Amino acid sequence: MPDALPIADLADRVRAGDRRALAQAITLVESTRADHRDQAEALLATLLPFSGQGVRVGITGVPGVGKSTFIEAFGLHVIACGHKVAVLAIDPTSQRTGGSILGDKTRMELLSRETRAFIRPSPAGSTLGGVARRTREAMLLVEAAGFDVVIVETVGVGQSETAVADMVDLFLLLLPPAGGDELQGIKKGIVELADMIVVNKADGDLTNAARHAEAEYRHALALLRPANRNWPVPVLSCSALNKVGIDGIWDRINEYRRLLGHDGSIDRRRADQARAWMWNEIRENLIAAFQGDHAVRTELSALEQATAAGTVTPGAAARRLLGLFRGADR
Amino acid sequence: MPDALPIADLADRVRAGDRRALAQAITLVESTRADHRDQAEALLATLLPFSGQGVRVGITGVPGVGKSTFIEAFGLHVIACGHKVAVLAIDPTSQRTGGSILGDKTRMELLSRETRAFIRPSPAGSTLGGVARRTREAMLLVEAAGFDVVIVETVGVGQSETAVADMVDLFLLLLPPAGGDELQGIKKGIVELADMIVVNKADGDLTNAARHAEAEYRHALALLRPANRNWPVPVLSCSALNKVGIDGIWDRINEYRRLLGHDGSIDRRRADQARAWMWNEIRENLIAAFQGDHAVRTELSALEQATAAGTVTPGAAARRLLGLFRGADR
């Protein structure tokens, strides 16, 4: 085991809060090389017992809602309260370049200068599953490094909100101070994932619009069943720009943690998330093996088209392809 | 091919609208016996070209909303308009007995007496996937038998609404004339699946409450993006008991069909549904093979528990199990 020592060493340095070691550990976890994967799993196995103590907050919002400004104001407030904050991201469209890392640092310039903050852009990757797994694993690493508030941000592409909601304790939806038609820009299903809704830009000319939107959302949420009976989804407003209302949001998040910690909901949520994550990995791997199978590939596209055209039943097409898969590989 | 003749014969009788043959064909499709499955696929392959002409309407609603009364009134109206209506159901909890068939007939007594109506209760089955597949296939059979309006009803257990929404042209959500707290009984995500919302029991003392609920829903829906830009989800009300408003609902369904037929949306929706159904079957079969694998079973439960307890990462658990699966069977 030639790698046993360096991995143990890296793990120790991560636990000591060494930022350079943490960055290196995340890079290792993000690598797709097979030998790196072995090392990454050894590292995660070592650090797993020291993770889990963080408050995990997912944040999403439509473009233009002021997400970076909000995360910066929120992060700075949380640091002022004595915490250490890590900001991770999920963006399946990101092709990591020097530019995009710089982009992340400049858009949260004040926060990125804080020694008690750690900002990491989204890992690159072509599948959401892969990108999400690497962010989940980075979350365990930053917790082991002592960051006790972890923000996971999504750019809201594809199913990335669901991926984020499935890895955090609280999913916060940031909305603009708008109503009616403008709000139709919100993707289907997102409102129902939220554990907390915050209307941003409650400042200047938009103050009244924000109050109005807040009331409108509160009204609409009465029609949806909350995920947890003991936690009716609160609707708040803030001005990230003027740093007004940020403290109230952090207070509510702590209230949520206390409430759901008290009745064991947080533990159950995390256990369910871990179990679902394991099954997702299994499912993705099985499907990838199926799609990559030589015999399947000879007929897949024709059968898929025939199914869509209604000339073959989906059941018959599936049966034929599964037969090819089993016949070819077993 | 000893079964070729009887299957061809059964197919002819189904196409001629023979109700006994249709019932027999559905029973064949519902059977889990391997030889029956072969016959069922041959039958479906023969009848597939004659299916697809029906208007497929999914209906769900919370218990007590008057779903049976609504389906009966709706079915009778549609028959009066010159159509033939089939009512299928998805209920993963149903253990088919003489009693439950009787139950289905008595709860829609007038409709069940109509020669232009065909009512079939939910197939029995332990998995939603299996139950849904059998109902999807029964839908093709009733269409081939000349039923040009197919209602698929769900009792709203588990994920059955999603399964129904994924097999119909229009998904109708039936709601009680209530607001605020009472409406929290609606499951998360259901409102967003709906292509049409109908408030029932707009009669007697509840007339005003129904109008109020109708307005409230219309307001709330403005916050959700409709699945189809050209079809803002309408909110209507009716009294199934007094047969008031039923004609308006049928008119809107026809309007929907015209609109979405015009721009090709219906064809795309059905092609997407068929493709997704094929992939679901493939996924379910792969997972079933995995879960049934002897080597996997020796460690699955321990690794799943360790993952939930946070002592093993989900990625490591998945990797170990996939290794067992490949090692054992390939």
Side-chain angles (χ1 to χ4, degrees):
Chain A
M1 295 184 287
D3 288 314
L5 197 65
I7 287 300
D9 189 46
L10 183 59
D12 284 345
R13 283 162 56 216
V14 167
R15 280 199 62 205
D18 177 337
R19 301 170 65 92
R20 198 177 286 259
L22 176 58
Q24 196 185 330
I26 295 178
T27 302
L28 183 65
V29 156
E30 290 178 354
S31 171
T32 50
R33 265 176 53 184
D35 58 329
H36 285 174
R37 191 68 227 155
D38 289 337
Q39 295 177 331
E41 299 222 341
L43 180 68
L44 287 163
T46 310
L47 291 176
L48 193 58
F50 309 103
S51 69
Q53 85 293 358
V55 177
R56 302 168 178 175
V57 180
I59 295 181
T60 193
V62 293
V65 72
K67 209 161 23 140
S68 300
T69 313
F70 176 81
I71 292 174
E72 178 157 78
F74 182 78
L76 290 170
H77 175 74
V78 163
I79 287 174
C81 293
H83 297 281
K84 289 179 72 181
V85 65
V87 182
L88 308 174
I90 288 189
D91 176 1
T93 65
S94 127
Q95 295 300 322
R96 178 100 67 86
T97 62
S100 101
I101 295 176
L102 191 66
D104 263 47
K105 300 257 171 176
T106 51
R107 74 188 174 88
M108 292 184 260
E109 206 186 337
L110 289 174
L111 189 62
S112 69
R113 282 193 218 140
E114 291 283 336
T115 53
R116 299 174 69 80
F118 183 86
I119 301 177
R120 179 87 178 190
S122 175
S126 52
T127 68
L128 173 61
V131 172
R133 195 204 68 208
R134 294 194 283 274
T135 300
R136 280 173 188 275
E137 292 180 345
M139 184 170 74
L140 303 179
L141 297 177
V142 298
E143 286 183 343
F147 292 89
D148 58 348
V149 178
V150 185
I151 297 171
V152 185
E153 177 192 3
T154 166
V155 293
V157 172
Q159 296 294 306
S160 58
E161 290 96 342
T162 310
V164 171
D166 284 350
M167 71 176 75
V168 297
D169 301 329
L170 179 141
F171 190 60
L172 188 157
L173 172 61
L174 207 58
L175 290 174
D181 284 352
E182 287 181 69
L183 286 175
Q184 301 221 358
I186 301 164
K187 275 198 295 187
K188 276 176 83 95
I190 303 307
V191 171
E192 305 208 336
L193 288 174
D195 300 300
M196 184 178 291
I197 288 180
V198 174
V199 179
N200 191 23
K201 301 192 180 178
D203 44 46
D205 292 349
L206 294 171
T207 312
N208 278 335
R211 299 271 171 268
H212 187 73
E214 194 185 333
E216 221 175 308
Y217 278 110
R218 201 167 284 136
H219 191 75
L221 279 177
L223 305 179
L224 304 173
R225 171 188 283 188
N228 188 306
R229 283 191 157 274
N230 299 325
W231 183 257
V233 175
V235 181
L236 308 171
S237 64
C238 76
S239 164
L241 189 69
N242 298 340
K243 300 186 170 44
V244 174
I246 304 294
D247 51 347
I249 294 165
W250 177 237
D251 290 349
R252 289 306 286 272
I253 292 175
N254 280 311
E255 188 193 321
Y256 173 85
R257 280 287 307 216
R258 269 195 306 277
L259 183 78
L260 274 66
H262 190 69
D263 69 1
S265 300
I266 283 288
D267 293 342
R268 276 196 303 279
R269 180 166 176 156
R270 288 188 173 185
D272 289 346
Q273 287 173 341
R275 212 182 282 113
W277 175 10
M278 182 192 90
W279 280 109
N280 278 345
E281 292 251 333
I282 290 170
R283 253 181 239 110
E284 282 184 17
N285 269 282
L286 290 174
I287 278 288
F290 179 86
Q291 288 171 325
D293 183 85
H294 183 73
V296 167
R297 288 164 73 108
T298 57
E299 298 195 23
L300 178 57
S301 136
L303 278 169
E304 200 171 4
Q305 279 170 36
T307 300
T311 56
V312 172
T313 64
R319 210 180 181 205
R320 167 82 188 138
L321 291 167
L322 287 160
L324 288 170
F325 184 60
R326 288 199 201 95
D329 272 355
R330 303 203 162 209
Chain B
M1 295 184 288
D3 289 312
L5 196 65
I7 287 299
D9 189 47
L10 183 59
D12 284 346
R13 282 162 57 215
V14 167
R15 282 199 61 205
D18 178 337
R19 302 170 64 90
R20 199 178 286 258
L22 177 58
Q24 196 185 331
I26 296 179
T27 301
L28 182 65
V29 157
E30 290 178 354
S31 171
T32 51
R33 264 176 53 185
D35 58 329
H36 285 174
R37 192 65 228 157
D38 289 336
Q39 295 177 333
E41 299 222 341
L43 179 68
L44 287 164
T46 310
L47 292 176
L48 192 58
F50 309 103
S51 69
Q53 85 293 359
V55 178
R56 302 168 178 174
V57 180
I59 296 181
T60 193
V62 293
V65 71
K67 208 161 24 145
S68 300
T69 313
F70 176 80
I71 292 174
E72 178 157 80
F74 181 78
L76 290 170
H77 175 73
V78 163
I79 288 174
C81 294
H83 296 281
K84 288 179 71 180
V85 65
V87 181
L88 307 173
I90 288 190
D91 176 2
T93 64
S94 128
Q95 295 301 322
R96 180 100 66 86
T97 62
S100 98
I101 295 176
L102 191 66
D104 262 46
K105 300 258 171 179
T106 50
R107 73 188 174 90
M108 292 185 258
E109 206 185 338
L110 290 174
L111 189 61
S112 69
R113 283 193 216 139
E114 291 283 335
T115 53
R116 298 175 68 80
F118 182 86
I119 301 176
R120 179 87 178 190
S122 175
S126 53
T127 68
L128 174 60
V131 172
R133 196 204 68 210
R134 294 194 283 274
T135 299
R136 279 174 189 274
E137 292 180 346
M139 184 170 73
L140 303 178
L141 298 176
V142 298
E143 285 182 344
F147 292 89
D148 59 349
V149 177
V150 185
I151 296 170
V152 185
E153 177 192 1
T154 165
V155 294
V157 172
Q159 296 294 308
S160 58
E161 290 96 343
T162 310
V164 170
D166 284 349
M167 71 176 76
V168 298
D169 301 328
L170 179 143
F171 190 61
L172 188 157
L173 172 61
L174 207 58
L175 291 175
D181 284 353
E182 287 180 68
L183 287 176
Q184 301 222 355
I186 301 163
K187 275 198 295 185
K188 274 175 84 93
I190 301 309
V191 171
E192 304 207 336
L193 288 174
D195 300 300
M196 185 178 289
I197 288 180
V198 174
V199 179
N200 191 23
K201 301 193 180 176
D203 44 46
D205 292 349
L206 294 171
T207 312
N208 279 335
R211 299 271 172 270
H212 186 74
E214 196 185 332
E216 220 174 311
Y217 277 110
R218 202 167 284 137
H219 190 74
L221 279 178
L223 304 180
L224 304 175
R225 170 186 284 188
N228 188 306
R229 281 190 159 274
N230 299 324
W231 183 256
V233 175
V235 181
L236 308 170
S237 65
C238 77
S239 163
L241 189 69
N242 298 338
K243 300 185 172 42
V244 174
I246 304 294
D247 50 349
I249 293 166
W250 178 237
D251 290 348
R252 289 305 287 273
I253 292 176
N254 280 312
E255 188 193 320
Y256 173 85
R257 279 287 307 214
R258 269 195 307 276
L259 182 78
L260 273 66
H262 190 67
D263 69 359
S265 300
I266 283 288
D267 293 341
R268 276 197 300 279
R269 180 167 176 154
R270 286 188 175 186
D272 289 346
Q273 287 174 342
R275 211 182 285 114
W277 175 9
M278 183 192 90
W279 280 110
N280 277 345
E281 292 250 334
I282 290 169
R283 254 181 239 111
E284 281 185 17
N285 269 282
L286 290 174
I287 278 287
F290 180 87
Q291 288 173 323
D293 183 85
H294 183 73
V296 168
R297 289 164 73 108
T298 56
E299 299 194 22
L300 177 57
S301 136
L303 278 169
E304 200 172 4
Q305 279 170 36
T307 300
T311 56
V312 172
T313 64
R319 210 181 181 205
R320 167 84 190 138
L321 291 167
L322 287 160
L324 288 170
F325 183 59
R326 290 200 198 96
D329 273 354
R330 305 207 158 202

